[in-house]
Amino acid sequence: MYCMSTDVSQPDVFEAAAAATLSIHPSRSVFFFYETVTLSCAVPGSFSSWTVKRNTSTKSSVSCETWGQFNGSSCTIKGVYPSDSGVYWCESDSGECSNTINIRVATGVILQGPAVPLTEGDSVTLNCSYKEKYAKQSTSNFSAAFYRNGTFIGNKSEGRMSFIHVSKENEGFYKCEHPTKGRSPEIWLEVRARAPSTTAPPPPPPHPPPPLMSLPRLAYTIFLFMLFTGILILYISMCKS
């Protein structure tokens, strides 16, 4: 498959190729200023040369060498800035493309969630964090309000909302709100259907063989046998006398 668009406003028109998968560390889509982010291309069995590229609001289809530190099939940004916000993907020298990952760099309140789609049944925790622009550490130690598709869904005292087994019903746009510092940008939580199992179901237990004779008929047969045996014994006794 090949890249179909370089428009940062329409990341969904990229098609994923089986030959490569883009992952991100830390595994989330929103980052604070100056955090270090590493993007890696997993290319099992591929003989092509792959690199990480991106679209931002100012430049399109730019390779890692101009904005990050390239190492094999990985690219590291040491100290992200708002200009690093955009769409990232892996691309081979023949034009094949991987999945895409959207990155946003912000300050203040952010909601940390997975950067890649979940599968039904997965577990996930959304972490509402706050950090001043030049602070060294962020904090989630506050009561955060959570919203899904603009609708309030609950308060969490430690700034975290967890889903044990996600389903398509959990899919949507999420954001959180600090009691005094405002709301985070929205993130998209995508949930994909689990692939059907290819394992054949176990065979049904074997049925017990049907009885050779029903219980009433067996009792009747035993009764007749005993009756005829008694008559025979009585007849023999009478003959001897």
Side-chain angles (χ1 to χ4, degrees):
M1 297 183 183
Y2 294 85
C3 302
M4 298 176 61
S5 172
T6 56
D7 184 358
V8 67
S9 65
Q10 296 181 345
D12 293 337
V13 297
F14 287 83
E15 293 193 21
T21 302
L22 177 65
S23 61
I24 186 170
H25 181 79
S27 183
R28 46 189 168 91
S29 58
V30 185
F31 297 89
F32 288 116
F33 282 41
Y34 314 127
E35 287 192 274
T36 296
V37 179
T38 299
L39 300 112
S40 301
C41 302
V43 285
S46 175
F47 296 100
S48 300
S49 176
W50 293 78
T51 188
V52 181
K53 289 189 174 183
R54 74 180 188 182
N55 291 346
T56 64
S57 59
T58 57
K59 295 182 179 181
S60 297
S61 195
V62 183
S63 297
C64 168
E65 291 86 346
T66 63
W67 46 265
Q69 295 182 2
F70 187 65
N71 181 18
S73 59
S74 297
C75 190
T76 299
I77 310 173
K78 292 188 174 181
V80 291
Y81 204 68
S83 58
D84 295 306
S85 298
V87 183
Y88 291 73
W89 71 95
C90 302
E91 186 171 330
S92 71
D93 50 7
S94 59
E96 295 175 293
C97 290
S98 71
N99 59 301
T100 61
I101 290 180
N102 291 273
I103 290 179
R104 184 167 183 174
V105 181
T107 189
V109 182
I110 69 170
L111 181 59
Q112 299 172 348
V116 295
L118 300 171
T119 302
E120 286 182 318
D122 288 348
S123 299
V124 67
T125 296
L126 304 181
N127 185 36
C128 191
S129 297
Y130 172 74
K131 181 183 177 184
E132 295 286 355
K133 184 174 181 179
Y134 297 106
K136 292 184 178 180
Q137 298 292 333
S138 62
T139 179
S140 296
N141 189 23
F142 56 87
S143 178
F146 287 84
Y147 298 82
R148 175 178 173 269
N149 296 332
T151 302
F152 174 75
I153 56 175
N155 281 305
K156 297 296 179 180
S157 59
E158 294 183 355
R160 295 178 177 87
M161 174 166 282
S162 297
F163 300 95
I164 304 301
H165 300 294
V166 297
S167 66
K168 289 293 289 184
E169 294 180 355
N170 301 122
E171 189 172 79
F173 289 96
Y174 287 79
K175 61 185 175 182
C176 65
E177 184 175 14
H178 188 283
T180 60
K181 304 297 184 180
R183 293 184 178 181
S184 71
E186 284 187 324
I187 65 170
W188 169 247
L189 185 68
E190 182 177 353
V191 181
R192 295 179 177 175
R194 185 173 295 277
S197 175
T198 57
T199 305
H207 294 289
L212 297 177
M213 188 178 296
S214 64
L215 289 178
R217 187 171 183 179
L218 178 61
Y220 180 69
T221 302
I222 294 174
F223 170 75
L224 290 179
F225 174 77
M226 295 177 66
L227 178 63
F228 284 114
T229 301
I231 294 174
L232 180 61
I233 294 173
L234 180 62
Y235 175 76
I236 294 173
S237 298
M238 290 177 63
C239 290
K240 289 183 177 180
S241 62

